[in-house]
Amino acid sequence: MAFDVSTERRNARRHARRFHVLSRPGIGDTPENRGSITVEDRAMATCDVCGNSYANSFTVTQGALTRTFDSFECAIHAMAPRCAHCRCAVIGHGVEAGGTVYCCEHCARHSHKGE
């Protein structure tokens, strides 16, 4: 049986019409619109970090700041606090000592040795 590209495209469009989008704020998230927006209808948002346009982008709000990202990698790069000792991104709880954020207890102890 030969591979039929037109059939594959038609099936993909049918699947896209059945897939309802509820993940983007403002699109399909109100009771009157729920389930009425398809993948094909979504706007392409641009990532604030890398500039990629992506239909499955998301927003993160921290205080008054709201940013748009296409991946968790970009969100972490832009918004995660940095360890005061080694400057790595603190993903998770981290350690806070004296009002300063560290990635681990080792960095916190190492930074406070001279005090």
Side-chain angles (χ1 to χ4, degrees):
M1 183 169 148
F3 182 73
D4 185 4
V5 175
S6 62
T7 301
E8 290 300 315
R9 286 185 186 147
R10 193 169 40 253
N11 288 340
R13 282 194 301 269
R14 268 190 220 127
H15 176 72
R17 284 191 293 270
R18 286 192 309 257
F19 181 78
H20 298 295
V21 178
L22 299 176
S23 60
R24 291 272 320 278
I27 297 181
D29 62 350
T30 60
E32 60 274 1
N33 291 335
R34 193 154 282 138
S36 64
I37 307 297
T38 66
V39 172
E40 294 167 342
D41 295 331
R42 283 188 284 177
M44 299 283 281
T46 302
C47 178
D48 292 345
V49 173
C50 67
N52 286 339
S53 293
Y54 187 52
N56 292 323
S57 61
F58 58 94
T59 58
V60 176
T61 301
Q62 184 179 35
L65 178 67
T66 299
R67 307 221 21 214
T68 302
F69 303 105
D70 68 338
S71 67
F72 286 118
E73 178 185 11
C74 287
I76 290 166
H77 177 77
M79 298 187 81
R82 299 284 168 181
C83 175
H85 177 68
C86 69
R87 303 302 303 154
C88 75
V90 179
I91 304 168
H93 295 287
V95 175
E96 192 170 338
T100 306
V101 176
Y102 299 96
C103 63
C104 63
E105 288 183 30
H106 173 265
C107 284
R109 277 194 308 269
H110 188 70
S111 289
H112 288 285
K113 267 187 182 175
E115 294 177 6

